[in-house]
Amino acid sequence: MVGSFTTRFAPSPTGRLHKGHAFSAWTAHTAAQAQAGRFLLRIEDIDRARSRPQFEAAIIEDLTWLGLDWAAPIRRQSDHMDDYAQALERLKARGLLYRCFKTRREILEDIGRAPHGPALAYRGAPLAPAEETARLAAGEPFAWRLSLRAARRALGRAAWDALSFVEEGRGPDGQRGVIQARPALAGDAVLARKDADVAYHLAVVVDDAIQGVSHVIRGEDLHEAAHIQRLLQALLEVPSPIYRHHPLLAAPDGKRLAKRDLSETLADIRARGVSASQLKAELGF
Ligand code: GLU
């Protein structure tokens, strides 16, 4: 059903849901209802070390309590590793990825030593073949990174400069409309982690395309991610969804949420005897 309004809520089962998640899920769900569209649920569990089946079960329990329903099936990322592997292979075959053996600490040192002053994000290069072979033979772990230089060459200058996405919500400084994509914000992003066969940006882009997501509705803390995700959409030749980044939940006086609000889970709120409709009203729905 590509073409019709389709959005999703994509929590990671690494903990219990809080009010902010409820706000985000209701924002997406309400938007789907308003357009007689689809609301999907995706479980983003590629971080195998931190994901737990009991958190996934709790997410479903919490969303059901909130009164949300979603179009089946639920997409669980760990069930679709082949899809990510295929996307990685396509990018590798075009020479867009390189192996990175660096530790987190080495990366931070490199960023601090960038030629034009400390950089925001890492830019690297493939190792010389002999060194790479030796490190592979020694069994050293590595991540696959997207080479921005190679990506720019592959797309061509005109397509690179024209790369943009539509923001119907709120970017930094309230920016909305057609926004020029600046993939360099993410640097040479990791697309397959040392400890997992895929990384966040690639999984999200592949999933949004496979699930026919027309509108990505999520918190504005992920606005910056749209820049690199837009590049991946272009490289994988999939449609770019419209983005609606929403403001993060704030206290009623507009200030940042208090510690209690940040730490209290939906289960805690439920246990206090608050009903889902009371919470809904409190959050402005
Ligand atoms: N799994 C991400 C999170 O829990 C959301 C990813 C997305 O919406 O693109 O923050």
PDB file of all heavy atoms in Angstrom, residues 182-216:
ATOM      1  N   ARG A 182      22.516  17.215   4.823  1.00  0.00           N
ATOM      2  CA  ARG A 182      23.938  17.415   5.116  1.00  0.00           C
ATOM      3  C   ARG A 182      24.488  16.144   5.764  1.00  0.00           C
ATOM      4  O   ARG A 182      24.657  16.075   6.979  1.00  0.00           O
ATOM      5  CB  ARG A 182      24.124  18.619   6.029  1.00  0.00           C
ATOM      6  CG  ARG A 182      23.784  19.942   5.306  1.00  0.00           C
ATOM      7  CD  ARG A 182      24.206  21.146   6.105  1.00  0.00           C
ATOM      8  NE  ARG A 182      23.464  21.262   7.341  1.00  0.00           N
ATOM      9  CZ  ARG A 182      23.983  21.660   8.499  1.00  0.00           C
ATOM     10  NH1 ARG A 182      25.259  21.957   8.592  1.00  0.00           N
ATOM     11  NH2 ARG A 182      23.225  21.736   9.565  1.00  0.00           N
ATOM     12  N   PRO A 183      24.750  15.130   4.932  1.00  0.00           N
ATOM     13  CA  PRO A 183      25.189  13.846   5.483  1.00  0.00           C
ATOM     14  C   PRO A 183      26.498  13.957   6.262  1.00  0.00           C
ATOM     15  O   PRO A 183      26.767  13.129   7.133  1.00  0.00           O
ATOM     16  CB  PRO A 183      25.387  12.956   4.243  1.00  0.00           C
ATOM     17  CG  PRO A 183      24.832  13.699   3.091  1.00  0.00           C
ATOM     18  CD  PRO A 183      24.666  15.126   3.460  1.00  0.00           C
ATOM     19  N   ALA A 184      27.276  14.999   5.971  1.00  0.00           N
ATOM     20  CA  ALA A 184      28.559  15.136   6.652  1.00  0.00           C
ATOM     21  C   ALA A 184      28.397  15.280   8.163  1.00  0.00           C
ATOM     22  O   ALA A 184      29.331  15.029   8.919  1.00  0.00           O
ATOM     23  CB  ALA A 184      29.329  16.322   6.086  1.00  0.00           C
ATOM     24  N   LEU A 185      27.181  15.664   8.610  1.00  0.00           N
ATOM     25  CA  LEU A 185      26.933  15.774  10.055  1.00  0.00           C
ATOM     26  C   LEU A 185      27.241  14.457  10.769  1.00  0.00           C
ATOM     27  O   LEU A 185      27.635  14.440  11.929  1.00  0.00           O
ATOM     28  CB  LEU A 185      25.461  16.119  10.316  1.00  0.00           C
ATOM     29  CG  LEU A 185      24.996  17.528   9.953  1.00  0.00           C
ATOM     30  CD1 LEU A 185      23.480  17.618  10.091  1.00  0.00           C
ATOM     31  CD2 LEU A 185      25.688  18.546  10.854  1.00  0.00           C
ATOM     32  N   ALA A 186      27.000  13.358  10.059  1.00  0.00           N
ATOM     33  CA  ALA A 186      27.200  12.042  10.678  1.00  0.00           C
ATOM     34  C   ALA A 186      28.596  11.490  10.402  1.00  0.00           C
ATOM     35  O   ALA A 186      28.976  10.460  10.956  1.00  0.00           O
ATOM     36  CB  ALA A 186      26.155  11.059  10.156  1.00  0.00           C
ATOM     37  N   GLY A 187      29.344  12.162   9.531  1.00  0.00           N
ATOM     38  CA  GLY A 187      30.666  11.639   9.176  1.00  0.00           C
ATOM     39  C   GLY A 187      30.530  10.329   8.413  1.00  0.00           C
ATOM     40  O   GLY A 187      29.492  10.052   7.803  1.00  0.00           O
ATOM     41  N   ASP A 188      31.590   9.531   8.434  1.00  0.00           N
ATOM     42  CA  ASP A 188      31.549   8.211   7.795  1.00  0.00           C
ATOM     43  C   ASP A 188      30.799   7.274   8.756  1.00  0.00           C
ATOM     44  O   ASP A 188      31.406   6.583   9.579  1.00  0.00           O
ATOM     45  CB  ASP A 188      32.961   7.682   7.540  1.00  0.00           C
ATOM     46  CG  ASP A 188      33.646   8.392   6.379  1.00  0.00           C
ATOM     47  OD1 ASP A 188      32.983   9.209   5.699  1.00  0.00           O
ATOM     48  OD2 ASP A 188      34.838   8.122   6.143  1.00  0.00           O
ATOM     49  N   ALA A 189      29.498   7.257   8.640  1.00  0.00           N
ATOM     50  CA  ALA A 189      28.674   6.547   9.630  1.00  0.00           C
ATOM     51  C   ALA A 189      28.936   5.041   9.620  1.00  0.00           C
ATOM     52  O   ALA A 189      29.170   4.450   8.567  1.00  0.00           O
ATOM     53  CB  ALA A 189      27.197   6.805   9.357  1.00  0.00           C
ATOM     54  N   VAL A 190      28.868   4.459  10.801  1.00  0.00           N
ATOM     55  CA  VAL A 190      28.969   3.000  10.917  1.00  0.00           C
ATOM     56  C   VAL A 190      27.649   2.409  10.423  1.00  0.00           C
ATOM     57  O   VAL A 190      26.576   2.780  10.897  1.00  0.00           O
ATOM     58  CB  VAL A 190      29.206   2.590  12.390  1.00  0.00           C
ATOM     59  CG1 VAL A 190      29.055   1.087  12.571  1.00  0.00           C
ATOM     60  CG2 VAL A 190      30.590   3.035  12.851  1.00  0.00           C
ATOM     61  N   LEU A 191      27.731   1.486   9.470  1.00  0.00           N
ATOM     62  CA  LEU A 191      26.507   0.829   8.971  1.00  0.00           C
ATOM     63  C   LEU A 191      26.406  -0.610   9.455  1.00  0.00           C
ATOM     64  O   LEU A 191      25.332  -1.203   9.418  1.00  0.00           O
ATOM     65  CB  LEU A 191      26.456   0.882   7.442  1.00  0.00           C
ATOM     66  CG  LEU A 191      26.411   2.283   6.824  1.00  0.00           C
ATOM     67  CD1 LEU A 191      26.096   2.195   5.342  1.00  0.00           C
ATOM     68  CD2 LEU A 191      25.398   3.189   7.521  1.00  0.00           C
ATOM     69  N   ALA A 192      27.533  -1.175   9.864  1.00  0.00           N
ATOM     70  CA  ALA A 192      27.503  -2.490  10.528  1.00  0.00           C
ATOM     71  C   ALA A 192      28.465  -2.395  11.692  1.00  0.00           C
ATOM     72  O   ALA A 192      29.631  -2.036  11.518  1.00  0.00           O
ATOM     73  CB  ALA A 192      27.914  -3.597   9.570  1.00  0.00           C
ATOM     74  N   ARG A 193      27.944  -2.651  12.866  1.00  0.00           N
ATOM     75  CA  ARG A 193      28.749  -2.488  14.072  1.00  0.00           C
ATOM     76  C   ARG A 193      29.662  -3.673  14.294  1.00  0.00           C
ATOM     77  O   ARG A 193      29.418  -4.758  13.796  1.00  0.00           O
ATOM     78  CB  ARG A 193      27.818  -2.334  15.282  1.00  0.00           C
ATOM     79  CG  ARG A 193      27.097  -1.019  15.300  1.00  0.00           C
ATOM     80  CD  ARG A 193      25.904  -1.033  16.213  1.00  0.00           C
ATOM     81  NE  ARG A 193      26.115  -1.781  17.447  1.00  0.00           N
ATOM     82  CZ  ARG A 193      25.379  -1.614  18.542  1.00  0.00           C
ATOM     83  NH1 ARG A 193      24.419  -0.716  18.546  1.00  0.00           N
ATOM     84  NH2 ARG A 193      25.591  -2.340  19.600  1.00  0.00           N
ATOM     85  N   LYS A 194      30.681  -3.452  15.102  1.00  0.00           N
ATOM     86  CA  LYS A 194      31.580  -4.564  15.445  1.00  0.00           C
ATOM     87  C   LYS A 194      30.814  -5.688  16.116  1.00  0.00           C
ATOM     88  O   LYS A 194      31.104  -6.851  15.918  1.00  0.00           O
ATOM     89  CB  LYS A 194      32.660  -4.066  16.419  1.00  0.00           C
ATOM     90  CG  LYS A 194      33.785  -3.316  15.749  1.00  0.00           C
ATOM     91  CD  LYS A 194      34.839  -2.933  16.782  1.00  0.00           C
ATOM     92  CE  LYS A 194      35.946  -2.137  16.103  1.00  0.00           C
ATOM     93  NZ  LYS A 194      36.922  -1.614  17.064  1.00  0.00           N
ATOM     94  N   ASP A 195      29.847  -5.326  16.942  1.00  0.00           N
ATOM     95  CA  ASP A 195      29.147  -6.326  17.747  1.00  0.00           C
ATOM     96  C   ASP A 195      27.777  -6.692  17.187  1.00  0.00           C
ATOM     97  O   ASP A 195      27.006  -7.381  17.837  1.00  0.00           O
ATOM     98  CB  ASP A 195      28.994  -5.806  19.191  1.00  0.00           C
ATOM     99  CG  ASP A 195      28.169  -4.527  19.229  1.00  0.00           C
ATOM    100  OD1 ASP A 195      27.938  -3.917  18.167  1.00  0.00           O
ATOM    101  OD2 ASP A 195      27.756  -4.127  20.329  1.00  0.00           O
ATOM    102  N   ALA A 196      27.452  -6.171  15.992  1.00  0.00           N
ATOM    103  CA  ALA A 196      26.156  -6.511  15.383  1.00  0.00           C
ATOM    104  C   ALA A 196      26.366  -6.430  13.881  1.00  0.00           C
ATOM    105  O   ALA A 196      27.246  -5.724  13.429  1.00  0.00           O
ATOM    106  CB  ALA A 196      25.083  -5.521  15.825  1.00  0.00           C
ATOM    107  N   ASP A 197      25.565  -7.128  13.119  1.00  0.00           N
ATOM    108  CA  ASP A 197      25.807  -7.143  11.677  1.00  0.00           C
ATOM    109  C   ASP A 197      25.204  -5.944  10.969  1.00  0.00           C
ATOM    110  O   ASP A 197      25.242  -5.851   9.748  1.00  0.00           O
ATOM    111  CB  ASP A 197      25.258  -8.443  11.072  1.00  0.00           C
ATOM    112  CG  ASP A 197      26.034  -9.641  11.615  1.00  0.00           C
ATOM    113  OD1 ASP A 197      27.241  -9.468  11.906  1.00  0.00           O
ATOM    114  OD2 ASP A 197      25.444 -10.721  11.770  1.00  0.00           O
ATOM    115  N   VAL A 198      24.608  -5.050  11.723  1.00  0.00           N
ATOM    116  CA  VAL A 198      24.001  -3.865  11.130  1.00  0.00           C
ATOM    117  C   VAL A 198      24.034  -2.760  12.187  1.00  0.00           C
ATOM    118  O   VAL A 198      24.265  -3.028  13.368  1.00  0.00           O
ATOM    119  CB  VAL A 198      22.550  -4.178  10.655  1.00  0.00           C
ATOM    120  CG1 VAL A 198      21.654  -4.543  11.829  1.00  0.00           C
ATOM    121  CG2 VAL A 198      21.950  -3.037   9.861  1.00  0.00           C
ATOM    122  N   ALA A 199      23.826  -1.520  11.759  1.00  0.00           N
ATOM    123  CA  ALA A 199      23.746  -0.417  12.716  1.00  0.00           C
ATOM    124  C   ALA A 199      22.456   0.366  12.442  1.00  0.00           C
ATOM    125  O   ALA A 199      21.821   0.213  11.395  1.00  0.00           O
ATOM    126  CB  ALA A 199      24.971   0.492  12.596  1.00  0.00           C
ATOM    127  N   TYR A 200      22.107   1.204  13.386  1.00  0.00           N
ATOM    128  CA  TYR A 200      20.830   1.912  13.406  1.00  0.00           C
ATOM    129  C   TYR A 200      20.400   2.551  12.070  1.00  0.00           C
ATOM    130  O   TYR A 200      19.315   2.262  11.562  1.00  0.00           O
ATOM    131  CB  TYR A 200      20.860   2.966  14.529  1.00  0.00           C
ATOM    132  CG  TYR A 200      19.800   4.027  14.406  1.00  0.00           C
ATOM    133  CD1 TYR A 200      18.458   3.703  14.563  1.00  0.00           C
ATOM    134  CD2 TYR A 200      20.132   5.348  14.109  1.00  0.00           C
ATOM    135  CE1 TYR A 200      17.476   4.670  14.417  1.00  0.00           C
ATOM    136  CE2 TYR A 200      19.157   6.317  13.971  1.00  0.00           C
ATOM    137  CZ  TYR A 200      17.828   5.978  14.118  1.00  0.00           C
ATOM    138  OH  TYR A 200      16.871   6.938  13.963  1.00  0.00           O
ATOM    139  N   HIS A 201      21.257   3.419  11.488  1.00  0.00           N
ATOM    140  CA  HIS A 201      20.805   4.174  10.304  1.00  0.00           C
ATOM    141  C   HIS A 201      20.416   3.254   9.146  1.00  0.00           C
ATOM    142  O   HIS A 201      19.414   3.484   8.469  1.00  0.00           O
ATOM    143  CB  HIS A 201      21.894   5.131   9.816  1.00  0.00           C
ATOM    144  CG  HIS A 201      22.196   6.239  10.779  1.00  0.00           C
ATOM    145  ND1 HIS A 201      21.243   7.103  11.238  1.00  0.00           N
ATOM    146  CD2 HIS A 201      23.363   6.619  11.372  1.00  0.00           C
ATOM    147  CE1 HIS A 201      21.795   7.985  12.063  1.00  0.00           C
ATOM    148  NE2 HIS A 201      23.076   7.697  12.170  1.00  0.00           N
ATOM    149  N   LEU A 202      21.205   2.222   8.934  1.00  0.00           N
ATOM    150  CA  LEU A 202      20.910   1.340   7.801  1.00  0.00           C
ATOM    151  C   LEU A 202      19.624   0.551   8.060  1.00  0.00           C
ATOM    152  O   LEU A 202      18.767   0.433   7.179  1.00  0.00           O
ATOM    153  CB  LEU A 202      22.078   0.374   7.543  1.00  0.00           C
ATOM    154  CG  LEU A 202      21.875  -0.488   6.306  1.00  0.00           C
ATOM    155  CD1 LEU A 202      22.017   0.348   5.040  1.00  0.00           C
ATOM    156  CD2 LEU A 202      22.846  -1.659   6.260  1.00  0.00           C
ATOM    157  N   ALA A 203      19.474   0.029   9.264  1.00  0.00           N
ATOM    158  CA  ALA A 203      18.280  -0.771   9.574  1.00  0.00           C
ATOM    159  C   ALA A 203      17.017   0.071   9.407  1.00  0.00           C
ATOM    160  O   ALA A 203      16.019  -0.377   8.828  1.00  0.00           O
ATOM    161  CB  ALA A 203      18.383  -1.327  10.997  1.00  0.00           C
ATOM    162  N   VAL A 204      17.057   1.309   9.872  1.00  0.00           N
ATOM    163  CA  VAL A 204      15.880   2.189   9.791  1.00  0.00           C
ATOM    164  C   VAL A 204      15.513   2.486   8.334  1.00  0.00           C
ATOM    165  O   VAL A 204      14.341   2.431   7.949  1.00  0.00           O
ATOM    166  CB  VAL A 204      16.155   3.501  10.565  1.00  0.00           C
ATOM    167  CG1 VAL A 204      15.157   4.578  10.191  1.00  0.00           C
ATOM    168  CG2 VAL A 204      16.106   3.241  12.058  1.00  0.00           C
ATOM    169  N   VAL A 205      16.513   2.764   7.526  1.00  0.00           N
ATOM    170  CA  VAL A 205      16.242   3.102   6.118  1.00  0.00           C
ATOM    171  C   VAL A 205      15.686   1.881   5.378  1.00  0.00           C
ATOM    172  O   VAL A 205      14.706   1.991   4.627  1.00  0.00           O
ATOM    173  CB  VAL A 205      17.529   3.653   5.455  1.00  0.00           C
ATOM    174  CG1 VAL A 205      17.394   3.694   3.942  1.00  0.00           C
ATOM    175  CG2 VAL A 205      17.828   5.049   6.008  1.00  0.00           C
ATOM    176  N   VAL A 206      16.287   0.728   5.615  1.00  0.00           N
ATOM    177  CA  VAL A 206      15.807  -0.495   4.951  1.00  0.00           C
ATOM    178  C   VAL A 206      14.373  -0.794   5.404  1.00  0.00           C
ATOM    179  O   VAL A 206      13.491  -1.070   4.591  1.00  0.00           O
ATOM    180  CB  VAL A 206      16.756  -1.681   5.270  1.00  0.00           C
ATOM    181  CG1 VAL A 206      16.137  -3.007   4.860  1.00  0.00           C
ATOM    182  CG2 VAL A 206      18.103  -1.476   4.577  1.00  0.00           C
ATOM    183  N   ASP A 207      14.133  -0.713   6.695  1.00  0.00           N
ATOM    184  CA  ASP A 207      12.799  -1.032   7.223  1.00  0.00           C
ATOM    185  C   ASP A 207      11.734  -0.055   6.736  1.00  0.00           C
ATOM    186  O   ASP A 207      10.640  -0.464   6.348  1.00  0.00           O
ATOM    187  CB  ASP A 207      12.809  -1.017   8.759  1.00  0.00           C
ATOM    188  CG  ASP A 207      13.524  -2.213   9.330  1.00  0.00           C
ATOM    189  OD1 ASP A 207      13.721  -3.197   8.612  1.00  0.00           O
ATOM    190  OD2 ASP A 207      13.892  -2.147  10.519  1.00  0.00           O
ATOM    191  N   ASP A 208      12.047   1.237   6.779  1.00  0.00           N
ATOM    192  CA  ASP A 208      11.053   2.219   6.342  1.00  0.00           C
ATOM    193  C   ASP A 208      10.669   1.948   4.882  1.00  0.00           C
ATOM    194  O   ASP A 208       9.505   2.065   4.510  1.00  0.00           O
ATOM    195  CB  ASP A 208      11.570   3.653   6.522  1.00  0.00           C
ATOM    196  CG  ASP A 208      11.550   4.105   7.987  1.00  0.00           C
ATOM    197  OD1 ASP A 208      10.784   3.509   8.780  1.00  0.00           O
ATOM    198  OD2 ASP A 208      12.286   5.044   8.339  1.00  0.00           O
ATOM    199  N   ALA A 209      11.655   1.557   4.067  1.00  0.00           N
ATOM    200  CA  ALA A 209      11.372   1.280   2.656  1.00  0.00           C
ATOM    201  C   ALA A 209      10.527   0.004   2.529  1.00  0.00           C
ATOM    202  O   ALA A 209       9.502  -0.005   1.841  1.00  0.00           O
ATOM    203  CB  ALA A 209      12.678   1.141   1.877  1.00  0.00           C
ATOM    204  N   ILE A 210      10.925  -1.045   3.215  1.00  0.00           N
ATOM    205  CA  ILE A 210      10.193  -2.324   3.103  1.00  0.00           C
ATOM    206  C   ILE A 210       8.774  -2.183   3.650  1.00  0.00           C
ATOM    207  O   ILE A 210       7.830  -2.754   3.111  1.00  0.00           O
ATOM    208  CB  ILE A 210      10.956  -3.449   3.837  1.00  0.00           C
ATOM    209  CG1 ILE A 210      12.224  -3.800   3.043  1.00  0.00           C
ATOM    210  CG2 ILE A 210      10.079  -4.682   4.054  1.00  0.00           C
ATOM    211  CD1 ILE A 210      13.103  -4.852   3.682  1.00  0.00           C
ATOM    212  N   GLN A 211       8.620  -1.404   4.701  1.00  0.00           N
ATOM    213  CA  GLN A 211       7.298  -1.260   5.314  1.00  0.00           C
ATOM    214  C   GLN A 211       6.442  -0.192   4.617  1.00  0.00           C
ATOM    215  O   GLN A 211       5.310   0.036   5.022  1.00  0.00           O
ATOM    216  CB  GLN A 211       7.436  -0.915   6.798  1.00  0.00           C
ATOM    217  CG  GLN A 211       8.063  -2.048   7.625  1.00  0.00           C
ATOM    218  CD  GLN A 211       7.981  -1.748   9.108  1.00  0.00           C
ATOM    219  OE1 GLN A 211       8.718  -0.910   9.625  1.00  0.00           O
ATOM    220  NE2 GLN A 211       7.067  -2.402   9.801  1.00  0.00           N
ATOM    221  N   GLY A 212       6.991   0.446   3.602  1.00  0.00           N
ATOM    222  CA  GLY A 212       6.221   1.453   2.864  1.00  0.00           C
ATOM    223  C   GLY A 212       5.870   2.662   3.721  1.00  0.00           C
ATOM    224  O   GLY A 212       4.790   3.241   3.582  1.00  0.00           O
ATOM    225  N   VAL A 213       6.795   3.044   4.610  1.00  0.00           N
ATOM    226  CA  VAL A 213       6.528   4.185   5.500  1.00  0.00           C
ATOM    227  C   VAL A 213       6.556   5.482   4.687  1.00  0.00           C
ATOM    228  O   VAL A 213       7.553   5.794   4.042  1.00  0.00           O
ATOM    229  CB  VAL A 213       7.574   4.224   6.648  1.00  0.00           C
ATOM    230  CG1 VAL A 213       7.480   5.528   7.434  1.00  0.00           C
ATOM    231  CG2 VAL A 213       7.379   3.018   7.567  1.00  0.00           C
ATOM    232  N   SER A 214       5.447   6.197   4.696  1.00  0.00           N
ATOM    233  CA  SER A 214       5.387   7.458   3.938  1.00  0.00           C
ATOM    234  C   SER A 214       5.761   8.636   4.831  1.00  0.00           C
ATOM    235  O   SER A 214       6.235   9.654   4.348  1.00  0.00           O
ATOM    236  CB  SER A 214       3.983   7.675   3.368  1.00  0.00           C
ATOM    237  OG  SER A 214       3.048   7.836   4.429  1.00  0.00           O
ATOM    238  N   HIS A 215       5.527   8.502   6.141  1.00  0.00           N
ATOM    239  CA  HIS A 215       5.789   9.590   7.081  1.00  0.00           C
ATOM    240  C   HIS A 215       6.540   9.055   8.301  1.00  0.00           C
ATOM    241  O   HIS A 215       6.024   8.186   9.010  1.00  0.00           O
ATOM    242  CB  HIS A 215       4.485  10.234   7.545  1.00  0.00           C
ATOM    243  CG  HIS A 215       3.824  11.054   6.474  1.00  0.00           C
ATOM    244  ND1 HIS A 215       3.215  10.478   5.384  1.00  0.00           N
ATOM    245  CD2 HIS A 215       3.712  12.401   6.327  1.00  0.00           C
ATOM    246  CE1 HIS A 215       2.742  11.446   4.591  1.00  0.00           C
ATOM    247  NE2 HIS A 215       3.026  12.619   5.146  1.00  0.00           N
ATOM    248  N   VAL A 216       7.720   9.593   8.533  1.00  0.00           N
ATOM    249  CA  VAL A 216       8.479   9.244   9.736  1.00  0.00           C
ATOM    250  C   VAL A 216       8.134  10.287  10.792  1.00  0.00           C
ATOM    251  O   VAL A 216       8.441  11.475  10.624  1.00  0.00           O
ATOM    252  CB  VAL A 216       9.998   9.235   9.456  1.00  0.00           C
ATOM    253  CG1 VAL A 216      10.781   9.117  10.758  1.00  0.00           C
ATOM    254  CG2 VAL A 216      10.353   8.085   8.512  1.00  0.00           C
TER     255      VAL A 216
END
